[in-house]
């Protein structure tokens, strides 16, 4: 699973007003000179349409940050995968730790959302990651294996899928795992997915996320088994996001 074109996806979380579209414009301009790396922006739902318009014919992808498992219905405030696809998205993040923690999303819920993404023709970016307590107790690999088993649907075998390893303690903290720790988890994910999906697992891209910045991107993006990054804070400014992308090239 290592010989992939890298993907750098920006998760804007609950950030971004219309004024942020100027950053998208700068990303489109800058991305043209960074060949060989796939880029995607996951803005808040209110900006998906507007970002789509800014992207125009750019190769930069567009994603949502969450979706409901159902196609439509009485789910006030929710957005379906079909709605995201209709608005021009090609990706959707599911199971981010902020949703697992803040919205009580279980592995089963995350798997249902990932299945909804496939149904709508979207590529799910399925997030997994351990807490600091779990790491300190030596449970990291077991936690990740359990999350992969519960959150990655069987259809992943024949669909395009992205998985992001985001240690919770590295998100928004400026702390990052060592390259050895990232390599250990990514290698374990490769083994877990290979034993479940066989050769089909080779198609799954494995991103690292958690405090990826221009300063550490080159080191993190060249760890064995890392196929790109899921970037939070540093994806809000075009200059930082593009420097991270350039570090993958
Ligand atoms: P930061 O890059 O801000 O640490 O966020 C990582 C993240 O949660 C991306 O989904």
């Amino acid at each position: 699973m290592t010989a992939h074109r890298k993907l750098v996806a920006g998760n804007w979380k609950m950030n971004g007003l219309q004024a942020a579209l100027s950053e998208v414009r700068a990303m489109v301009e800058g991305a043209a000179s960074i060949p060989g790396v796939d880029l995607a922006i996951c803005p808040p739902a209110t900006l998906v349409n507007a970002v789509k318009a800014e992207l125009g014919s750019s190769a930069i992808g567009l994603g949502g940050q969450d979706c409901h498992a159902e196609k439509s219905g009485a789910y006030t405030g929710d957005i379906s995968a079909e709605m995201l696809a209709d608005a021009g998205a090609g990706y959707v993040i599911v199971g981010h730790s902020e949703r697992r923690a803040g919205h009580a999303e279980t592995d089963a819920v995350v798997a249902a959302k990932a299945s909804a993404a496939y149904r709508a023709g979207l590529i799910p970016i399925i997030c997994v990651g351990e807490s600091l307590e779990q790491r300190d107790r030596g449970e990291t690999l077991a936690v990740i294996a359990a999350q992969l088993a519960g959150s990655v649907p069987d259809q992943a075998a024949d669909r395009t899928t992205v998985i992001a390893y985001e240690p919770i303690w590295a998100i928004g903290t400026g702390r990052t795992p060592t390259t050895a720790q990232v390599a250990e988890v990514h290698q374990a994910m490769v083994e877990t997915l290979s034993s479940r999906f066989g050769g089909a697992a080779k198609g799954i891209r494995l991103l690292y996320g958690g405090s990826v910045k221009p300063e550490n991107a080159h080191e993190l993006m060249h760890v064995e088994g890392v196929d790109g990054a899921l970037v939070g804070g540093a994806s809000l400014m075009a200059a930082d996001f593009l420097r991270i992308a350039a570090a993958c090239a």
Side-chain angles (χ1 to χ4, degrees):
M1 283 189 251
T2 50
H4 294 122
R5 219 176 127 89
K6 285 193 168 45
L7 168 66
V8 178
N11 174 10
W12 282 15
K13 308 191 179 184
M14 197 172 74
N15 297 291
L17 303 175
Q18 298 291 325
L21 296 173
S22 61
E23 294 300 321
V24 176
R25 224 163 294 144
M27 289 175 189
V28 169
E29 279 169 26
S33 57
I34 310 175
V37 180
D38 291 335
L39 298 180
I41 306 170
C42 302
T46 47
L47 287 183
V48 169
N49 264 306
V51 170
K52 180 69 185 169
E54 284 298 340
L55 292 177
S57 61
S58 162
I60 299 179
L62 175 62
Q65 297 177 10
D66 177 49
C67 66
H68 196 280
E70 299 295 330
K71 266 186 199 169
S72 61
Y75 303 102
T76 303
D78 279 312
I79 293 171
S80 71
E82 280 76 5
M83 289 170 175
L84 288 169
D86 185 53
Y91 296 88
V92 61
I93 298 168
V94 295
H96 192 282
S97 60
E98 287 152 15
R99 296 213 53 96
R100 289 178 185 263
H103 299 264
E105 292 190 5
T106 61
D107 285 332
V109 167
V110 176
K113 291 180 174 201
S115 293
Y118 295 135
R119 183 187 66 217
L122 300 179
I123 298 171
I125 301 174
I126 305 171
C127 302
V128 297
E130 82 286 2
S131 68
L132 191 56
E133 295 71 29
Q134 289 167 329
R135 177 162 282 277
D136 287 345
R137 287 198 298 264
E139 297 169 2
T140 299
L141 298 186
V143 166
I144 302 302
Q147 288 178 337
L148 291 178
S151 309
V152 179
D154 290 336
Q155 303 104 288
D158 45 29
R159 306 290 194 122
T160 305
T161 301
V162 178
I163 294 173
Y165 167 55
E166 298 206 307
I168 296 169
W169 50 274
I171 295 176
T173 60
R175 287 185 64 187
T176 52
T178 63
T179 53
Q181 287 172 324
V182 174
E184 182 190 34
V185 173
H186 277 246
Q187 184 55 39
M189 292 200 293
V190 168
E191 284 164 15
T192 299
L193 294 166
S194 298
S195 68
R196 177 168 167 200
F197 296 118
K202 287 197 172 64
I204 301 177
R205 282 199 278 197
L206 302 179
L207 311 186
Y208 166 77
S211 295
V212 177
K213 309 282 178 216
E215 296 73 27
N216 60 22
H218 187 270
E219 185 178 44
L220 288 166
M221 292 303 102
H222 288 84
V223 171
E224 174 81 21
V226 172
D227 303 315
L230 183 56
V231 186
S235 72
L236 297 171
M237 305 298 286
D240 288 347
F241 190 59
L242 292 168
R243 279 176 66 199
I244 292 169
C248 289

